[in-house]
Amino acid sequence: MRKFNIRKVLDGLTAVSAAASASSAAQQQQAGNRETEIQETLQSEHFQLCKTVRHGFPYQPSALAFDPVQKILAIGTQTGALRLFGRPGVECYCQHDNGAAVIQLQFLINEGALVSALADDTLHLWNLRQKRPAILHSLKFNRERITFCHLPFQSKWLYVGTERGNIHIVNVESFTLSGYVIMWNKAIELSSKSHPGPIVHISDNPMDEGKLLIGFESGTVVLWDLKSKKADYRYTHDEAIHSVAWHHEGKQFICSHSDGTLTIWNVKSPTKPFQTITPHGKQLKDGKKPEPCKPILKVEYKTTRAGEPFIILSGGLSYDTIGRRPCLTVMHGKSTAVLEMDYSIVDFLTLCETPYPNDFQEPYAVVVLLEKDLVLIDLAQNGYPIFENPYPLTIHESPVTCCEYFADCPVDLIPALYSVGARQKRQGYSKKEWPISGGNWGLITQSYPEIIITGHADGSIKFWDASAITLQVLYKLKTAKVFEKSRNKDDRPNTDIVDEDPYAIQIISWCPESRMLCIAGVSAHVIIYRFSKQEVTTEVIPMLEVRLLYEINDVESPDGEQVPPLPTPGTGSNPQSIVPQSHPSTSSSSSDGLRDNVPCLKVKNSPLKQSPGYQIELVIQLVWVSGEPPQQITSLAVNSAYGLVVFGNCNGIAMVDYLQKTVLLNLGTIELYGSNDPYRREPRSPRKTRQPSGAGLCDINEGTMVPEDRCKSPTSDVKDNSFSRSRSSSVTSIDKESREAISALHFCETFTRKTDTSPSPCLWVGTTLGTVLVIVLNLPPGGEQRLLQPVIVSPSGTILRLKGAILRMAFLDTTGSLVPPAHEPWREHNVPEDKDEKDKSKKRRPVSVSPSSSQEISENQYAVICSEKQAKVISLPSQNCIYKQNITETSFVLRGDIVSLSNSICLACFCANGHIMTFSLPSLRPLLDVYYLPLTNMRIARTFCFTNNGQALYLVSPTEIQRLTYSQETCENLQEMLGELFTPVETPEAPNRGFFKGLFGGGAQSLDREELFGESASGKASRSLAQHIPGPGGIEGVKGAASGVVGELARARLALDERGQKLGELEEKTAAMLYSADSFSKHAHEMMLKYKDKKWYQF
C-alpha cells in the first residue's frame, strides 16, 4: 500500500500574513516575536479542489439498464445524473450538462459504451472504457420527441421511436442518422383514420433480425419487414399498450395493457390474441370479463430450458386494493408470487444467463428500481428472497438531519464498530453472491481510516466506514428507544415543540479516542453514550432535567428600573464559583395553570436492555418554564477527560458532570458576562405566551432559499430569516442585541487570564454576537475522588470579540501544532477492574496529545477563532490579536474547521456565496479561494463539513453524499483510486443452431443492416431533423470506444495510429495480441489499467 509523498517545502520559509500589517503593532507587544518563529509549510500549491465520489441512492431515478456480459448496472435520474454500479466498491457518477431527465438507457453490450436518451430529445454516447466516463457524441432531435430506443445485441444501428409514431435509425459509430425512416402512416392500416399514438416499444424478432416489432400507445402492434419496407402483420387491441416482450423462439409475443390485462399473440395470427390474462383480476362467474385493474406498466417474458417460462410484471393490481403497497408479480407455471415493495416501482429488469435474445433466457434474478431503493430478487430460490445489497444506498432510510466527518481516526475504531454492527444484520437474504459484479477496484493509496456519522429524523445515528473513497455502514444506533412512544396522536402529551420527528438529531459531538458520543435532539434533549462490547440491562435510565429560560429587557434609558447584575470576579485569584442548580421535575403546571417543569419527551421507566455498542450514560432534557417551551439546542461539546458535557441555546448555557450526574452550570447568556456585558441587558421574568416553534429538521430535504436571503447570516439576522440556527421562533420578536445564542463550545487546557503562568482546564464559549467567554474548570483528582468531590466552575472574566457569530475555536502550541482537547483513552467500563487496573486509573492522567513534549511555564499558546465574518489568532496568555483575516464582507461563513493537511494545519471555510477557502495557521494567509457551488438550500448549509487530510463532504440531495477534496495530492492520486468499470470479457458463444435447423432453416435469420441503412442504400437523412454534437470525451474516449463501436477499417487504422503515438502514460505499456484462427474476423481493443499506465490489446 503506497502512502502519499508529503511535499518538501523550503526550510526557513516564514509565513507572512496578508492581514498582518494591520496587527504589526500588536506583534511588538508582550507576546514578543515568538510567533514569527513558527515556520509554515503549507503553500497554495498544496491545494486543489475537486469532487471525488458520490455515495447513496440516485435521487429521483428514472431509467435502468444492465450489461449482462460486463455485469454493470446503470441508473439515470430526473436531473440528468448517471450512476454506474459494478462489484461492491466500484461505483461511478456522471452528469449530463443540461440536467434533462434520463428517459432510457441502452448498453452496447460488452463494448464499454452506453447510449442515454434524454427528455430534451438528445441522445448521448458514453465511453465507459475510462475511469471517469465521458460523452463521445451527442445527437439533438429538432422536430420530433424521443419516446423509445432499441439497440439490438451486436448491432451498430439504434432504432429511435418518436412521439409522432415514426422510427429513425442512428449509426452509433458516427452518431449520424440513416436515411431509412419508418413512417407511422406506412406502418398502420391505410384505412385507419386516427393516429396510432407515440411509439412505446421497438424490438426485432429474436429469430429474424429483418422483422421489427413496433408497439404504438393506442394498442396497435406492427411487425415490419425491414427489407421490403412494409408491414407483414398488424395486431390491434382496444386497450392502450405499455410494454411488449418476445418469447425467445420468435413465434409469440406478450403485451401489457392499461386495463391490467396481458395479451399473448401468435406472430402469424394477427386477428385476435392467442390468450388474454388478467393476473390480479377477480374471475367472475358466467364467463364474464374480469373487472378492470390498474395498468400493467411493464412485462417481461423469460424462458427456461428445464421448465415453465417466467412472466414478470409491475402494476396491474385491482382498484379495490387501496393502500396496498406497489407490487412486482412473478408468474411461473401455475404459481403466482406477489412481491410487495416499500416504494413505487420506477423500472425493473430480469437478469438472464445469456445476452442472446434467441436462446433460452434462463433468468436468475430481477433488479427492481424503486423510487428510493434498489432491490434484487433471487428467482432461483424458493420464496424469491432478496439479495443483501452491498452498496451504501440506505443513507436516506430516514431523512439525514446532520452529519460529521472524521478522517485519520484511531485504527481500532472501525473494527470495533463493525463487530458490534455485524450483530444488527437482518437474516433471510439469498445465499448467493451479489450478481452485479463487473469492474475492478482502484488502488488503495490512502492508508488512514475515515468515519462519517449521519444523524437522522427518526433519531437514529449511523456510523459509516468511508476509508479510501468507499462507503460501508458499520453500525446503527437508535436514540429514540430510550423514550416512551405515544401510540396515537390523542395520547401525545401537549409538550411537543415540533409536530413531526420529535427525536430528530440536531448536533453530534464525538470523541473518537475515548469513543464518547453525545447527541442533541430537536426536542431540547441531550443523550450521552459510552461504547461497550458487553450487553447490559439498565434498570433505571439516569436522567436530569434542566430549567433553562432567561429573557431580558434592554436598558434604553438611564432612568429605567435596573436590576443589579450578578457579581462576577475579574482576574482575581479567588473567583467566586457559580452555584450549580438542578431542577427536578416536580410539577407539571405552574400556579396559573401553565405548563411548567415538564420535558418534551418522556423517558422510559422500565429496565432497558442495551446491546453491545453505544449505551446510554445519561439523558438530559430541558423543561418547559411557565408555559414557554424549551428552546432547541444550538451547540454541544463533550469531554471524556473532564467527565463533562456542555450545551447551549438562545437562552443560555448548561454544564453537566455526567460522572456524578449533576448540573454544574445553568446560566442565561447575559449572566455569563456579569458586569462586563457590553449591551447592558438585565434578566426579566419569562413571557407567558407561547409562540409557534417552527417545523422539524426534516425540511432540510427540500428547503429552498429565497435569493435575497443568500447573503444573510444564519444567526445574526432576526427578521424572517430562513437560516436561523435555532429552529424556534419564540425569541424572534426580541431585538438583535438580546437574542444571543451559544454558537460554539470548546473544552481545552490553556491560559484563561492574562496573568496566568500555566495552562489549566477551561471551557471557551462563543456566542452569535461574536463574543468569546472563558469559564475556568477546577477538577478534583482522578480515581474515586473524581466521583466524590464536586467540579468547581467559575468565570474567568476574559472576554474576546469578533465580527459575526462564533463558529469554531482551536488551540495551537508554541510550535504551531494543534492542541487537541484532553481525552481519556477508551476502556471497557462494564467489566469490573482488577486491583492493578484500579491503581492505574488513579494515576491515569487525561491525555492531551500536543506535539510539544510539555507546556513549560514560559511557553505560550495561540487561540484560533473563526466567526461568520472573520478569523483571529490570539496569543495566550497575553490575549494579543497577532493575526486577523476578514474572510468575507458580503456573505457569511457557514462552516469553518481547523484541519490537518500534509503534516501541517489550516483553517478551511465554506461560505454562503459558494466559495471554499483555506488559510494558513497561525498567520491566516489565504491559500485557496475557489467558487464551488452557490448555497441553494438548507441541506447543504446543515451538512457541509471539512475534515483532516483535505477531505470534505455535504448532502448533495436527500439521498446522496458528495465527497470532495481540497488537497492537491489527493487530486493527483484520484485517478488511481477510482475503480474501473470496463474489464475485458469474452462475449459468450452464440447458441448452436443444430444440424436440422441449419439444413431445413428455422434458425436465427441474420440481416446485413449496413446494406439496408447505410448511406449508399438509404441516402442521407434530412439535416434539419437532428444535429450532431461532438462530445468532450477526448482522445482517450475515442480510443476506448473504438474497440467495439467502429468498423473493421477504423479499428485497423486506430491500431496503427496507436503504435505511432506516444501518449504519456500509455507509452511503454502498448502491446498487441493475436488470438486463435476462429477470431480472425474480429478485432477488439482491451484496456487494462495498472498503476497509471494503460495497456491496449488487439485480438
Side-chain angles (χ1 to χ4, degrees), residues 900-925:
S900 64
L901 176 72
S902 301
N903 282 352
S904 191
I905 53 166
C906 64
L907 167 67
C909 298
F910 172 54
C911 282
N913 61 11
H915 283 253
I916 288 176
M917 294 181 268
T918 62
F919 301 91
S920 69
L921 288 174
S923 71
L924 295 174
R925 271 182 306 120

Side-chain angles (χ1 to χ4, degrees), residues 188-360:
I188 64 164
E189 297 274 4
L190 293 174
S191 58
S192 176
K193 292 178 182 175
S194 58
H195 189 279
I199 302 277
V200 293
H201 178 82
I202 308 168
S203 60
D204 43 345
N205 185 321
M207 287 295 180
D208 188 350
E209 294 173 349
K211 310 287 187 189
L212 200 65
L213 195 70
I214 305 163
F216 294 93
E217 191 180 65
S218 62
T220 301
V221 178
V222 175
L223 189 68
W224 181 264
D225 187 311
L226 289 164
K227 286 181 184 170
S228 64
K229 300 185 181 179
K230 65 176 193 194
D232 278 359
Y233 298 104
R234 298 181 178 94
Y235 316 83
T236 52
H237 194 65
D238 50 7
E239 288 295 335
I241 289 176
H242 284 277
S243 74
V244 184
W246 279 103
H247 185 284
H248 86 272
E249 288 175 348
K251 293 174 183 174
Q252 281 188 338
F253 61 87
I254 188 167
C255 302
S256 74
H257 299 279
S258 56
D259 63 345
T261 59
L262 297 171
T263 54
I264 299 175
W265 299 78
N266 282 338
V267 169
K268 294 185 177 176
S269 305
T271 50
K272 65 171 188 174
F274 164 70
Q275 190 181 358
T276 302
I277 310 166
T278 312
H280 295 286
K282 289 178 184 169
Q283 296 299 324
L284 303 173
K285 291 173 184 173
D286 310 327
K288 288 181 184 173
K289 280 173 94 175
E291 290 176 3
C293 295
K294 293 173 185 173
I296 295 175
L297 300 175
K298 184 172 182 179
V299 64
E300 291 207 338
Y301 197 8
K302 301 297 179 185
T303 53
T304 58
R305 228 175 273 277
E308 300 277 349
F310 282 87
I311 296 176
I312 300 163
L313 56 113
S314 64
L317 295 178
S318 63
Y319 280 101
D320 59 7
T321 52
I322 295 161
R324 191 165 175 186
R325 293 193 291 183
C327 293
L328 186 84
T329 305
V330 180
M331 301 167 72
H332 185 221
K334 291 182 179 176
S335 77
T336 299
V338 181
L339 309 174
E340 287 198 340
M341 302 290 156
D342 290 337
Y343 307 100
S344 55
I345 297 170
V346 175
D347 198 0
F348 73 88
L349 286 173
T350 309
L351 307 191
C352 301
E353 296 290 353
T354 177
Y356 292 94
N358 59 353
D359 194 8
F360 285 99

Side-chain angles (χ1 to χ4, degrees), residues 308-538:
E308 300 277 349
F310 282 87
I311 296 176
I312 300 163
L313 56 113
S314 64
L317 295 178
S318 63
Y319 280 101
D320 59 7
T321 52
I322 295 161
R324 191 165 175 186
R325 293 193 291 183
C327 293
L328 186 84
T329 305
V330 180
M331 301 167 72
H332 185 221
K334 291 182 179 176
S335 77
T336 299
V338 181
L339 309 174
E340 287 198 340
M341 302 290 156
D342 290 337
Y343 307 100
S344 55
I345 297 170
V346 175
D347 198 0
F348 73 88
L349 286 173
T350 309
L351 307 191
C352 301
E353 296 290 353
T354 177
Y356 292 94
N358 59 353
D359 194 8
F360 285 99
Q361 297 297 287
E362 304 296 350
Y364 59 89
V366 184
V367 184
V368 190
L369 177 63
L370 305 176
E371 201 175 38
K372 292 183 179 177
D373 202 1
L374 181 73
V375 175
L376 250 83
I377 297 158
D378 185 350
L379 289 179
Q381 239 174 292
N382 285 339
Y384 304 133
I386 63 167
F387 288 87
E388 185 175 7
N389 196 322
Y391 305 136
L393 301 183
T394 58
I395 290 167
H396 63 290
E397 193 174 21
S398 168
V400 176
T401 50
C402 65
C403 60
E404 293 295 336
Y405 189 8
F406 301 86
D408 220 0
C409 305
V411 288
D412 56 348
L413 254 180
I414 288 174
L417 288 163
Y418 181 82
S419 67
V420 294
R423 306 173 195 218
Q424 301 176 327
K425 291 206 169 167
R426 279 177 50 193
Q427 302 300 311
Y429 288 113
S430 167
K431 306 277 190 297
K432 292 187 180 167
E433 289 286 308
W434 181 252
I436 302 163
S437 56
N440 279 326
W441 292 310
L443 292 164
I444 307 301
T445 55
Q446 288 180 356
S447 56
Y448 51 84
E450 296 174 72
I451 290 176
I452 294 170
I453 307 178
T454 52
H456 299 264
D458 64 355
S460 61
I461 286 175
K462 286 181 184 171
F463 289 79
W464 304 82
D465 176 5
S467 310
I469 71 170
T470 61
L471 194 70
Q472 181 188 2
V473 71
L474 291 169
Y475 171 69
K476 180 179 175 182
L477 170 67
K478 295 178 180 174
T479 67
K481 69 179 184 182
V482 70
F483 299 110
E484 298 278 6
K485 286 199 174 69
S486 49
R487 290 193 182 88
N488 56 50
K489 286 197 173 177
D490 302 334
D491 277 4
R492 267 159 75 173
N494 191 20
T495 53
D496 293 3
I497 56 172
V498 285
D499 296 330
E500 292 177 5
D501 304 315
Y503 312 111
I505 308 294
Q506 263 186 316
I507 309 172
I508 297 165
S509 176
W510 187 51
C511 173
E513 288 77 18
S514 65
R515 304 184 190 172
M516 288 300 294
L517 172 71
C518 191
I519 64 101
V522 77
S523 295
H525 62 282
V526 171
I527 310 177
I528 302 151
Y529 290 92
R530 277 187 195 273
F531 185 84
S532 171
K533 293 180 180 177
Q534 308 290 320
E535 185 177 286
V536 294
T537 301
T538 307

Side-chain angles (χ1 to χ4, degrees), residues 58-300:
Y59 183 55
Q60 295 178 327
S62 57
L64 181 67
F66 183 69
D67 184 326
V69 181
Q70 285 288 320
K71 299 204 180 314
I72 295 285
L73 187 79
I75 296 175
T77 76
Q78 291 177 31
T79 55
L82 188 60
R83 290 285 292 281
L84 296 141
F85 296 91
R87 67 178 61 196
V90 176
E91 282 182 44
C92 181
Y93 158 76
C94 321
Q95 178 70 47
H96 294 91
D97 289 341
N98 53 11
V102 178
I103 55 172
Q104 204 178 343
L105 295 169
Q106 289 263 296
F107 273 101
L108 279 67
I109 292 171
N110 205 25
E111 301 282 16
L114 174 79
V115 173
S116 58
L118 270 57
D120 66 348
D121 309 307
T122 53
L123 295 172
H124 304 275
L125 178 66
W126 289 87
N127 171 31
L128 309 182
R129 292 177 173 243
Q130 54 196 73
K131 289 202 162 187
R132 287 196 183 259
I135 292 173
L136 289 172
H137 299 283
S138 299
L139 195 64
K140 169 85 171 118
F141 279 74
N142 297 323
R143 299 204 303 250
E144 297 199 52
R145 309 292 317 264
I146 298 170
T147 55
F148 193 88
C149 298
H150 170 62
L151 181 69
F153 178 45
Q154 292 181 323
S155 164
K156 69 173 185 179
W157 298 97
L158 173 76
Y159 300 109
V160 180
T162 70
E163 199 172 46
R164 289 189 185 175
N166 303 324
I167 293 177
H168 301 279
I169 299 165
V170 175
N171 181 333
V172 290
E173 288 175 7
S174 58
F175 239 55
T176 52
L177 277 174
S178 161
Y180 192 115
V181 182
I182 304 170
M183 303 299 287
W184 68 272
N185 52 357
K186 299 270 176 59
I188 64 164
E189 297 274 4
L190 293 174
S191 58
S192 176
K193 292 178 182 175
S194 58
H195 189 279
I199 302 277
V200 293
H201 178 82
I202 308 168
S203 60
D204 43 345
N205 185 321
M207 287 295 180
D208 188 350
E209 294 173 349
K211 310 287 187 189
L212 200 65
L213 195 70
I214 305 163
F216 294 93
E217 191 180 65
S218 62
T220 301
V221 178
V222 175
L223 189 68
W224 181 264
D225 187 311
L226 289 164
K227 286 181 184 170
S228 64
K229 300 185 181 179
K230 65 176 193 194
D232 278 359
Y233 298 104
R234 298 181 178 94
Y235 316 83
T236 52
H237 194 65
D238 50 7
E239 288 295 335
I241 289 176
H242 284 277
S243 74
V244 184
W246 279 103
H247 185 284
H248 86 272
E249 288 175 348
K251 293 174 183 174
Q252 281 188 338
F253 61 87
I254 188 167
C255 302
S256 74
H257 299 279
S258 56
D259 63 345
T261 59
L262 297 171
T263 54
I264 299 175
W265 299 78
N266 282 338
V267 169
K268 294 185 177 176
S269 305
T271 50
K272 65 171 188 174
F274 164 70
Q275 190 181 358
T276 302
I277 310 166
T278 312
H280 295 286
K282 289 178 184 169
Q283 296 299 324
L284 303 173
K285 291 173 184 173
D286 310 327
K288 288 181 184 173
K289 280 173 94 175
E291 290 176 3
C293 295
K294 293 173 185 173
I296 295 175
L297 300 175
K298 184 172 182 179
V299 64
E300 291 207 338

Side-chain angles (χ1 to χ4, degrees), residues 21-57:
S21 54
S23 315
S24 57
Q27 285 184 3
Q28 310 302 319
Q29 293 179 3
Q30 190 176 342
N33 290 325
R34 184 180 291 272
E35 42 275 5
T36 58
E37 293 168 18
I38 296 173
Q39 292 179 0
E40 293 180 3
T41 55
L42 283 180
Q43 300 298 323
S44 55
E45 59 263 26
H46 289 93
F47 294 88
Q48 184 184 337
L49 195 71
C50 70
K51 292 178 181 178
T52 51
V53 282
R54 185 175 288 205
H55 301 298
F57 182 77

Side-chain angles (χ1 to χ4, degrees), residues 929-948:
D929 185 352
V930 177
Y931 176 73
Y932 177 67
L933 86 165
L935 184 67
T936 50
N937 54 41
M938 280 301 290
R939 187 191 322 110
I940 298 169
R942 285 238 179 86
T943 56
F944 201 104
C945 46
F946 297 95
T947 186
N948 298 330

